[in-house]
């Protein structure tokens, strides 16, 4: 699926859980939407990185503060990271400087070349199999009310921590 900031896909990896035990399985991988990555606009890229970092930090903070019976109602964030691409010719570059130096093999001179820093930033999230509340079919009124009560309890804790979701809607509620 996709949203305003990111695209989410299913992927497999091995992670260390909170006890340091390797956990292999399927996870949801969220990356910043490609059209929001611009190698010439470092402010845009930095703003999107901060949004993803905030999502990671706030999700972990909220999960830590939720009572045990509410923890299963929040998608957990397990890891965040970034992956930098190399140029088409396979040469590496310095992501922080946006350039690299290489030696010209013919005359031994050093030449600096500017590169557009394409960085894939990602979150590894808990994979939730199911549907969202907007697409739910044949849901009983009692079950619907139960979902809404749980959502309200999680939002109460979130707001007490000063965390505001800003995009509460049925299509963002996984069941």
């Amino acid at each position: 699926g996709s949203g305003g900031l990111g695209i989410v896909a299913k992927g497999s990896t091995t992670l260390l859980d909170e006890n340091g035990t390797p956990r292999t399985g399927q996870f949801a991988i969220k990356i910043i939407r490609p059209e929001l990555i611009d190698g010439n606009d470092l402010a845009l890229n930095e703003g999107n990185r901060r949004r993803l970092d905030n999502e990671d930090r706030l999700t972990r903070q909220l999960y830590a503060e939720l009572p045990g019976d509410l923890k299963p109602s929040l998608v957990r964030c397990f890891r965040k990271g970034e992956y930098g691409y190399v140029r088409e010719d396979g040469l590496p570059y310095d992501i922080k400087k946006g350039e690299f130096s290489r030696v010209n093999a013919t005359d031994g001179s050093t030449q600096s070349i500017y590169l557009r820093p394409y960085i894939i930033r990602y979150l590894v999230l808990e994979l939730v199999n199911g549907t969202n509340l907007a697409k739910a079919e044949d849901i009983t009124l009692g079950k619907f009310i139960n979902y809404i009560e749980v959502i309200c309890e999680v939002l109460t804790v979130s707001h007490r921590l000063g965390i505001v979701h800003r995009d509460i809607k049925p299509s963002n509620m996984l069941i």
Side-chain angles (χ1 to χ4, degrees), residues 2-169:
S2 65
L5 175 66
I7 296 172
V8 181
K10 189 186 319 185
S12 299
T13 190
T14 300
L15 299 172
L16 297 179
D17 66 16
E18 49 276 343
N19 301 320
T21 306
R23 178 179 167 195
T24 300
Q26 293 191 324
F27 298 89
I29 313 295
K30 181 176 187 174
I31 64 168
I32 294 176
R33 297 168 66 89
E35 61 268 25
L36 296 178
I37 300 170
D38 184 343
N40 293 321
D41 190 342
L42 297 179
L44 172 72
N45 294 340
E46 181 62 18
N48 289 325
R49 184 197 59 77
R50 277 196 310 270
R51 286 177 64 191
L52 205 65
D53 286 351
N54 284 340
E55 182 175 338
D56 172 60
R57 181 178 51 81
L58 296 174
T59 301
R60 289 171 188 269
Q61 181 184 359
L62 179 56
Y63 186 84
E65 294 295 323
L66 283 176
D69 62 325
L70 289 180
K71 287 187 186 291
S73 62
L74 183 71
V75 173
R76 293 182 64 188
C77 185
F78 294 108
R79 181 191 296 166
K80 72 172 181 173
E82 58 185 38
Y83 179 81
Y85 279 105
V86 294
R87 282 179 44 125
E88 289 178 9
D89 61 9
L91 295 172
Y93 60 94
D94 185 331
I95 292 170
K96 292 183 174 71
K97 293 180 183 176
E99 64 179 29
F100 73 98
S101 295
R102 65 180 171 91
V103 175
N104 183 328
T106 57
D107 64 6
S109 66
T110 301
Q111 179 182 16
S112 290
I113 299 173
Y114 175 75
L115 296 172
R116 294 171 51 152
Y118 289 104
I119 309 291
I120 300 292
R121 292 187 169 86
Y122 64 88
L123 296 178
V124 178
L125 306 164
E126 178 180 9
L127 179 65
V128 178
N129 291 312
T131 189
N132 64 53
L133 197 53
K135 292 181 180 177
E137 296 179 5
D138 300 327
I139 187 170
T140 66
L141 179 60
K143 201 163 201 155
F144 179 79
I145 290 171
N146 181 263
Y147 289 138
I148 298 304
E149 287 173 341
V150 170
I151 291 164
C152 288
E153 289 180 51
V154 171
L155 287 174
T156 298
V157 175
S158 171
H159 291 173
R160 190 173 57 237
L161 295 170
I163 300 170
V164 179
H165 187 283
R166 297 183 352 180
D167 198 19
I168 299 296
K169 59 187 177 185

